[in-house]
Amino acid sequence: MTFAALTPDLCTVRDLFAGDTAYSVPVYQRSFAWQAEQIEQLIADVADAQTDGSDGYFLGNLVVTPLAGKRDLSVVDGQQRLTTLYLLLTYLLRTSEHEHPQHTGRLRYESRPRSSETLRRIDGGYPEQSVRATPESELEQGIVRAFNVIEQTVQQKFTASQQAAFLTYLLDSVQVVRVTLPDRTDLNRYFEIMNTRGQQLEQVDIVKARLMATLDEGDRACFAWVWDACADMDSYVQRSIALGDAELRTALFGDTWTWLAPTDFDELHGIHQRLKQAAPGSIRPSGSMTLSQAIDVYAQSAAEAPADPSETDRFRSTIEFPSLLLHVLKVFLSESGESEGALDDKQLIKRFNEVFKQRGPADVRRFCFTLLHCRHSFDTFVLKREHLARYEDDGEWSLQRALKRTSGGRHTLGYAHTFQRGSTDDEAVDGRTQDLIHLQSMLRVTYTSPRIMHWITLVLRHLHSRDAASVTAEELVDLLRDYARGKVSESFFTATEPQGFEVPRIVFTYLDYVLLKEHAVDGFSRDFDFGFRTSIEHFYPQQPDAEQTGSVVSSECLKLLGNLALVSVSANSKFSNSLPRSKAFNFTDTIERQSPKLALMAQITREQGWNDHQIREHHDAMRAMLQADLQ
């Protein structure tokens, strides 16, 4: 197969489903797997492009091949994006009078009856609630959850008129390159080529090369050393910057291997010079460089020895390296506030070009040290996901500092909870570290997109002017609680108090945090884990199950905060349209994993029932609790 034989078409979303084009997902493709984070990000990206006035937004590639003897196109690559677009169109068109392409029925699945049945129900105009009420075994739950995420995201993000404008932009301005492989393509050969081809330069590569191009030989080598270590986001920087070199690690992080010792780039450069003298083969070519030459030098960086798999598989960073660079850039510039697009990784090159086009080597060297300082602070004081055999597949929230362990005269890198006194291997998280984990994980699950994780910038900026060894958990808790309080105040206590799907996620998550920390709620302890919850649950349902009996709630109370809680998509699906008493008694385990506020509502229901009186009373109590906390 030659790439010249490929047939690429630049299609709008309207074009994708024009005519009689239909798409078939082959059985070898994995099931739909996008989670709330990816779906919300796609919607946010398109909405941002629309707000910015962009003529078009490129969504990526869709690779297809003709099906023999049929007019359908088999989806080779891009199923997740295509399915999300299909479901998004379906939801937006339900309440729109927009003339739209006949996309209904144009997405099919080979040998997957549950997936096909799920789309059939959604396509056929069934109320979304009937999909929820169907037994889980009959439907593809990944698609059900995705549709639920789309519903809530759109309702929270757009008014009715904004939805119509967003739909128009989605149909006519969002573009996809549809690449059609020749008939009878050897797909095994195609995947082999795509998986083994040389990787293209990414934005971080271009930024790195442009910054390096301003430096002399010695500074370039030091810059590349620091940059490459900081780019390895899933291991602590103490490991990646001094792989297997105990002496170097001590020079950089002291005898304990915990706190960064150099205070500026010159000290880093001195340490690196000693490193080069010990390993002269690492010296780079000298002389001034163009951008293309800098890219060549960057590409020749010697690969580090592979890390111990038990180390690299243990931790997962909260953000990727491009996002870290944007946080560091804000710290470098001493920027406060949450300017639009400042953390948008699509604008990485543009942001760095704007900042450094008039700056020289001194500023690049200062940025290099700022990067290392922030990366060390990030590792030590910003939570990660930790994966160990004793944890579930998703891992657990972790806030640990790196340190030196010594056994049998051999030094190795180990970890202890960040604010735990001493350096013991105690698995139990100390109280001070746990307090900060709860607060940071609350913010992490609230602001799921890296582009709105401004709280991380806040932490890094605060730490940049502090001696890391003297930082306390209490000062970081106060810093982040004040941040969360500001968000609650500006989004909830407004002239027109939000209701229903308009209540911001931070109101629910911060309420849960306050309840967890300062109030006794049955079934909850310090071990509670803030998980990703994106569905607003009406405890008394909007369309109650007709077969159940119980108190009736008025329309005035239905959308009050007192009747709402934030739950996961799967929990929302389980609850379906059951009445509060059924939820309170039949789903106790689910409730206790979801939300302290939800547990409190269930407790009230079991003791008193759930009607207008209980809703208003609970609403007033939660509102008063927030007001007292904000003062």
Side-chain angles (χ1 to χ4, degrees), residues 26-64:
V27 69
Y28 65 78
Q29 292 272 17
R30 64 173 178 161
S31 298
F32 182 78
W34 268 19
Q35 301 296 317
E37 187 168 352
Q38 291 100 331
I39 295 169
E40 290 176 348
Q41 191 65 67
L42 183 148
I43 295 172
D45 287 348
V46 175
D48 288 346
Q50 178 192 13
T51 301
D52 293 343
S54 302
D55 292 336
Y57 178 75
F58 176 61
L59 196 57
N61 299 328
L62 174 66
V63 181
V64 297

Side-chain angles (χ1 to χ4, degrees), residues 612-630:
D612 280 11
H613 173 73
Q614 281 79 36
I615 290 175
R616 290 190 182 279
E617 196 171 67
H618 180 63
H619 175 86
D620 291 342
M622 295 298 97
R623 196 177 186 283
M625 183 185 300
L626 284 176
Q627 283 184 316
D629 184 82
L630 296 181

Side-chain angles (χ1 to χ4, degrees), residues 47-149:
D48 288 346
Q50 178 192 13
T51 301
D52 293 343
S54 302
D55 292 336
Y57 178 75
F58 176 61
L59 196 57
N61 299 328
L62 174 66
V63 181
V64 297
T65 187
L67 278 175
K70 297 183 180 180
R71 308 187 75 167
D72 288 4
L73 297 172
S74 180
V75 178
V76 176
D77 189 31
Q79 177 216 164
Q80 307 293 321
R81 190 179 301 111
L82 181 65
T83 303
T84 302
L85 278 176
Y86 186 95
L87 295 173
L88 181 57
L89 273 178
T90 300
Y91 178 74
L92 289 169
L93 291 166
R94 281 189 172 180
T95 57
S96 171
E97 299 178 357
H98 200 290
E99 292 184 9
H100 59 85
Q102 298 298 311
H103 78 291
T104 301
R106 301 293 179 82
L107 180 60
R108 303 160 189 168
Y109 295 85
E110 291 180 10
S111 304
R112 284 193 185 158
R114 289 197 307 170
S115 296
S116 298
E117 175 63 12
T118 306
L119 277 192
R120 186 187 73 80
R121 286 177 175 267
I122 293 173
D123 283 343
Y126 283 78
E128 193 257 350
Q129 287 75 16
S130 75
V131 174
R132 286 186 190 168
T134 304
E136 291 188 8
S137 59
E138 296 181 16
L139 298 178
E140 176 54 56
Q141 290 304 308
I143 296 176
V144 173
R145 287 193 294 269
F147 192 74
N148 195 352
V149 169

